[in-house]
Amino acid sequence: MTYLRPALVTCALLLSACNTVTRVPVSSSPTASLPVLTDAETGTDGLFFGIFRETASHRTVPATVAAELRRTPASVMWFEQWGNEVPFPTQDVQALQEQGVLPHITWEPWKADLALDDPAQVRLGNIVAGQYDAYITRWARSAAATQKPLLLRFGHEFNGNWYPWATGQNANDPQKYVQAYRHVHDLFRAAGATNVQWIWTYNNDDVPGEAWNAPAAAYPGDAYVDWVGIDGYNWGTNPSWGNWRTVSDLFGSAYAKAQQIAPSKPIMLAEFASSDVGGNKPAWIDDLFQTLPKSFPKVRAFTWFDIQKEEDWRINSTLASQERFIVGLRGKNIRSSGAAMAQVPARTSGGSAGTPSTALPTNARLLANFETLTDGRPTSQDGGRIFLSGYQQDAAHPSSFSNQAAGSEAAPLTVPASGSRSQYAAFDYAVAAPNQYAGVVMTVELRPRSGSDVVGSDQSAYRSLHLDLAGTGATQVRLELIGERSLGIADGSNPQTYVTLPAGVTSLDLPVSRFTQPDWAPTKVATTDVMKRLAAVQLVVDQVPASGRIEVDNLALVP
């Protein structure tokens, strides 16, 4: 199937190049006198209405949509490209946030005026190499400064063949796309832009429809995604290759993929619309509002692409279509609250939005709560270093982790307090194959070093290790008790135990007696003796291959 997507999206970006269109006058509709519906409910149930309209002032969209469709939108989407490194649209974002509407920015890493393979085009490899870090960081800091939720859709429709970042263009592949996506995401998190919700979006049809181009291969991991987005259009029969597609036919297969790839994530129809040619568009709109809640219950939001381009995608392309859309928007399950929509990922996913941890016993010895910072990096309660490292059997396939570019003993991320959670430590990781062994390690040293040596202390009075843990990717992680070097224990052979990696935040209390050395350990030391000279606690992800995110808080010893 041949697609005309480049022209469609270019029009959405280059506003001055698009024709001015005339909308059906609202007064022509018998629904014009209906009261405008707003949404003051705080719950997150329902289907959230979003829209894209071609305008130079996105802040005005809620009012015009309310006037024409008798319902305010929960989100307003628009496109920004990297081409001229335009500044973050602070004024529009803040104006929408003040109206209770979620800003939804589709951020496209390309120069739309250049050919896809032009040497000067934005390339995924250059993003990963840091060529655009200054620009990305400026955006991230501006986004963080708004201090309110917003949606960011980076590098959408990567499984098509119409963008330079697509997995089949410019010597790209799914892994290179994942690396670029994660790199941008990590720069936002490093800048404190935790108010940004990330929409990972694929096209409903893979183009080309080859196994290597399946969206699952380009999934960045649960830690990097808040919403799974699906784009798709009912092109009708006007194009020579087109056909009329029902809502179920258009999204059924793509929806099934989303459930398989990221079952804990809410789904958004991030960009879609219907043509008039080849079928009954008003009936299609009726079917949309009936089918989504019945057949696609995990679709929690949708964004109608409301412009005239290759096809007349507009809601009011005819008076009948406008009327059916107005009626559909008055359904009891349709939502218009941006504030409520912003809470959907936290209510449907595990990970960082999981349940709060349990309180520590009063007689516990807190080792690290990751709220104590020295020179901007976390330390243990007694001033010991907290750092990340990696290892691998084959240097050609190294393990990777957050802040790795900072050099030896990189600090983990510190995630600010939010909701019921206090500040905690986190790191994103990727353990690569092929490797006989490999891993990423977070080390918490209890005390400051003496020169280059770790310093142990007697913790033998404590019987359990406590921590709050969450994560994605691997199925389990290893915890190790590290003694002073004078004990002569070989690396990797310290007393250790494996725990299942929970999706939501879970408080674990692990008896010290559960920690044992592996059978192959060349030097055997009783765990009780290690506790008498305990120098550090380590958390290790050693599943090959695996990638995801680990979150840790309230590391403590309990009597």
Side-chain angles (χ1 to χ4, degrees):
M1 183 180 292
T2 303
Y3 279 77
L4 302 178
R5 294 290 295 155
L8 176 65
V9 179
T10 300
C11 178
L13 290 167
L14 305 177
L15 304 180
S16 61
C18 299
N19 296 327
T20 301
V21 296
T22 302
R23 297 188 176 276
V24 175
V26 178
S27 59
S28 301
S29 171
T31 56
S33 61
L34 290 172
V36 174
L37 294 184
T38 57
D39 185 350
E41 295 183 25
T42 58
T44 59
D45 292 338
L47 180 63
F48 290 84
F49 162 48
I51 196 165
F52 162 70
R53 279 192 170 177
E54 199 169 69
T55 176
S57 181
H58 309 293
R59 72 197 75 175
T60 65
V61 171
T64 58
V65 168
E68 294 177 21
L69 302 180
R70 319 312 293 164
R71 182 107 204 201
T72 57
S75 65
V76 169
M77 189 267 279
W78 71 94
F79 296 83
E80 300 280 2
Q81 62 166 301
W82 288 29
N84 298 317
E85 295 195 0
V86 296
F88 181 81
T90 297
Q91 292 184 345
D92 275 335
V93 167
Q94 290 181 332
L96 289 169
Q97 290 170 333
E98 290 168 1
Q99 296 175 62
V101 177
L102 266 180
H104 173 177
I105 301 172
T106 299
W107 204 26
E108 301 183 305
W110 73 329
K111 299 177 181 179
D113 57 335
L114 298 180
L116 301 188
D117 59 353
D118 191 291
Q121 186 60 267
V122 178
R123 302 296 179 98
L124 292 182
N126 292 338
I127 294 174
V128 175
Q131 180 174 327
Y132 299 94
D133 281 7
Y135 168 59
I136 297 167
T137 300
R138 287 198 300 272
W139 261 61
R141 289 172 178 168
S142 296
T146 71
Q147 299 182 342
K148 293 181 180 179
L150 62 100
L151 306 172
L152 190 68
R153 193 164 62 122
F154 167 79
H156 68 303
E157 299 177 7
F158 55 85
N159 60 324
N161 61 3
W162 43 84
Y163 288 125
W165 62 81
T167 52
Q169 297 291 333
N170 295 327
N172 295 335
D173 56 44
Q175 188 56 40
K176 187 175 291 185
Y177 175 85
V178 167
Q179 291 172 345
Y181 186 107
R182 289 178 175 176
H183 184 78
V184 175
H185 181 284
D186 286 346
L187 288 174
F188 267 69
R189 183 171 292 276
T194 56
N195 56 316
V196 173
Q197 295 186 10
W198 294 78
I199 310 171
W200 174 75
T201 306
Y202 53 88
N203 195 62
N204 64 322
D205 296 322
D206 303 336
V207 183
E210 304 290 342
W212 60 262
N213 199 32
Y219 185 56
D222 285 355
Y224 293 85
V225 174
D226 297 294
W227 295 82
V228 171
I230 301 171
D231 288 1
Y233 288 81
N234 175 27
W235 287 85
T237 58
N238 193 40
S240 59
W241 45 264
N243 63 294
W244 189 264
R245 300 178 72 177
T246 66
V247 173
S248 294
D249 179 50
L250 192 63
F251 295 115
S253 176
Y255 178 82
K257 292 176 184 177
Q259 290 185 296
Q260 294 172 352
I261 296 168
S264 69
K265 300 297 180 181
I267 300 170
M268 177 190 299
L269 302 186
E271 183 184 322
F272 80 109
S274 175
S275 169
D276 284 294
V277 183
N280 187 327
K281 183 173 178 177
W284 196 92
I285 290 171
D286 279 340
D287 184 42
L288 171 75
F289 286 103
Q290 294 171 16
T291 298
L292 289 184
K294 292 179 181 178
S295 301
F296 304 111
K298 286 192 175 181
V299 172
R300 302 303 315 284
F302 67 90
T303 304
W304 187 281
F305 195 78
D306 196 34
I307 70 170
Q308 184 174 16
K309 206 37 190 79
E310 292 85 1
E311 302 298 323
D312 195 342
W313 305 116
R314 296 174 302 157
I315 291 166
N316 63 359
S317 57
T318 66
L319 182 58
S321 291
Q322 176 180 321
E323 289 175 343
R324 300 322 301 162
F325 208 92
I326 291 173
V327 171
L329 286 178
R330 303 183 87 80
K332 63 181 180 180
N333 67 317
I334 301 301
R335 302 293 307 279
S336 297
S337 169
M341 182 178 169
Q343 294 300 314
V344 170
R347 301 289 177 87
T348 58
S349 302
S352 60
T355 56
S357 59
T358 58
L360 282 172
T362 56
N363 59 351
R365 165 143 162 57
L366 185 62
L367 302 180
N369 63 5
F370 308 100
E371 297 175 25
T372 302
L373 302 179
T374 302
D375 295 330
R377 61 180 294 152
T379 64
S380 69
Q381 298 307 105
D382 291 339
R385 288 180 68 82
I386 301 175
F387 59 92
L388 301 173
S389 58
Y391 65 94
Q392 56 281 316
Q393 173 260 331
D394 182 357
H397 303 282
S399 300
S400 60
F401 48 88
S402 298
N403 292 333
Q404 191 168 18
S408 178
E409 299 188 353
L413 305 171
T414 50
V415 182
S418 176
S420 60
R421 295 193 66 180
S422 59
Q423 181 165 297
Y424 58 92
F427 62 92
D428 303 311
Y429 69 90
V431 181
N435 271 302
Q436 294 182 21
Y437 58 85
V440 172
V441 185
M442 185 177 81
T443 301
V444 179
E445 295 180 352
L446 274 57
R447 294 188 172 185
R449 297 173 186 172
S450 175
S452 61
D453 289 335
V454 293
V455 176
S457 57
D458 189 352
Q459 307 296 332
S460 59
Y462 297 96
R463 298 289 179 263
S464 296
L465 179 71
H466 172 98
L467 73 159
D468 299 335
L469 181 66
T472 59
T475 58
Q476 61 180 8
V477 296
R478 187 172 82 236
L479 289 158
E480 297 185 354
L481 303 174
I482 310 299
E484 287 182 344
R485 290 196 177 95
S486 59
L487 292 171
I489 302 174
D491 288 345
S493 68
N494 298 279
Q496 56 193 255
T497 188
Y498 281 88
V499 298
T500 299
L501 185 60
V505 182
T506 300
S507 292
L508 302 176
D509 286 285
L510 308 173
V512 170
S513 59
R514 177 173 163 177
F515 290 76
T516 58
Q517 289 182 280
D519 293 340
W520 57 264
T523 302
K524 300 291 187 180
V525 179
T527 303
T528 52
D529 290 335
V530 173
M531 289 295 291
K532 291 177 181 178
R533 303 185 192 179
L534 187 66
V537 175
Q538 288 189 162
L539 186 150
V540 186
V541 186
D542 63 357
Q543 186 171 317
V544 181
S547 62
R549 183 180 182 85
I550 303 295
E551 300 174 354
V552 184
D553 200 3
N554 296 326
L555 184 66
L557 293 168
V558 181

